[in-house]
Amino acid sequence: MDAAIEVENLVTAFGSNVIHDGLNLTVKRGEILGVVGGSGTGKSVLLKHIIGLLKERSGRILVNGRDRSTMSVREDMESRRDWGVLFQDGALFSSLSVAQNVQVPLREHFNMSQSLMDDLACSKLTMAGLPLDAAKKFPSDLSGGMRKRAALARSLALDPEILFLDEPTAGLDPIGASAFDQMIKELRDSLGLTVFLVTHDLDTLVTVCDRVAVLGDKKILINAPLKEVMEFDHPWVQQYFKGPRARAAGMEV
């Protein structure tokens, strides 16, 4: 299985504060990779580096075999069609309707008729499990779970190969979170997506992730199937994966 994402010797720093120091990570094509780590270890920062929102101090990032640092502006713009992003809290534009939010990437990358964009927006909303009458609503009219689904629909607008999800189930009730997890797995299976998923949710790790990458000590401590990660000899890993919350999530100890 070839790599969809390769991070090589990444160094990230904000001033004198070093977040990542020689970080290496490979995400296999077609897998759902869960990225976990303690607060401040740079999980969301890593995601933002991969998608080009932050510039690394040193190192190399390849997405679909293409080195982001050597791309022209045009190549970078074209490469962005290959992925979709669901940011924390959805990050929907409050002044736009749900359909208009989904259409933002379409307007950015293509010159389409309004009727075609309307049809595509409805298709993506259905794919994300929303009723069609949600299209004309505004984010403030939606529940937290529906806003997450609307943001997911927007991330799917360009038929991406890679999906980046930043804490997708945060703030959802257990039933809503479980339904969202199941939907992600079904979308991966039906669309052949590669999913890079930052999460704190132990249930998500158990339910949908093929492998788990643990951030700690400014590096990836381990990137392996969950059972292997649970046996990794590191204090934070053992506390996280074998503590009371892990037992409540049904993890073997």
Side-chain angles (χ1 to χ4, degrees), residues 20-81:
H20 306 133
D21 189 7
L23 184 150
N24 293 282
L25 175 67
T26 298
V27 183
K28 298 176 182 178
R29 194 172 305 282
E31 77 171 342
I32 300 178
L33 178 75
V35 179
V36 301
S39 179
T41 53
K43 301 180 294 296
S44 295
V45 170
L46 175 59
L47 185 156
K48 290 175 182 177
H49 272 298
I50 296 172
I51 65 176
L53 292 182
L54 293 175
K55 178 66 176 175
E56 60 273 10
R57 180 167 289 184
S58 64
R60 192 168 72 138
I61 297 173
L62 292 88
V63 181
N64 286 331
R66 304 174 73 181
D67 187 342
R68 294 196 49 77
S69 65
T70 62
M71 289 183 185
S72 66
V73 173
R74 180 177 179 179
E75 289 172 334
D76 180 65
M77 189 68 171
E78 290 175 349
S79 74
R80 292 175 186 270
R81 299 175 189 171

Side-chain angles (χ1 to χ4, degrees), residues 151-204:
L152 178 64
R154 183 177 62 184
S155 73
L156 294 170
L158 299 177
D159 295 327
E161 298 176 16
I162 304 172
L163 199 58
F164 293 92
L165 307 177
D166 196 355
E167 300 286 1
T169 59
L172 299 183
D173 63 82
I175 295 175
S178 178
F180 202 95
D181 285 341
Q182 188 59 39
M183 179 175 58
I184 294 303
K185 192 170 185 178
E186 290 173 357
L187 286 170
R188 187 280 302 270
D189 293 343
S190 61
L191 301 178
L193 296 169
T194 301
V195 181
F196 182 101
L197 192 160
V198 174
T199 186
H200 285 98
D201 194 329
L202 289 163
D203 289 320
T204 297

Side-chain angles (χ1 to χ4, degrees), residues 135-155:
K136 296 182 180 180
K137 295 181 178 180
F138 287 83
S140 59
D141 300 323
L142 303 179
S143 67
M146 292 181 74
R147 284 196 296 273
K148 294 270 190 179
R149 289 176 180 266
L152 178 64
R154 183 177 62 184
S155 73

Side-chain angles (χ1 to χ4, degrees), residues 117-139:
M117 286 195 295
D118 289 342
D119 288 343
L120 286 172
C122 288
S123 172
K124 302 308 178 184
L125 290 172
T126 300
M127 195 177 293
L130 284 173
L132 292 181
D133 63 6
K136 296 182 180 180
K137 295 181 178 180
F138 287 83

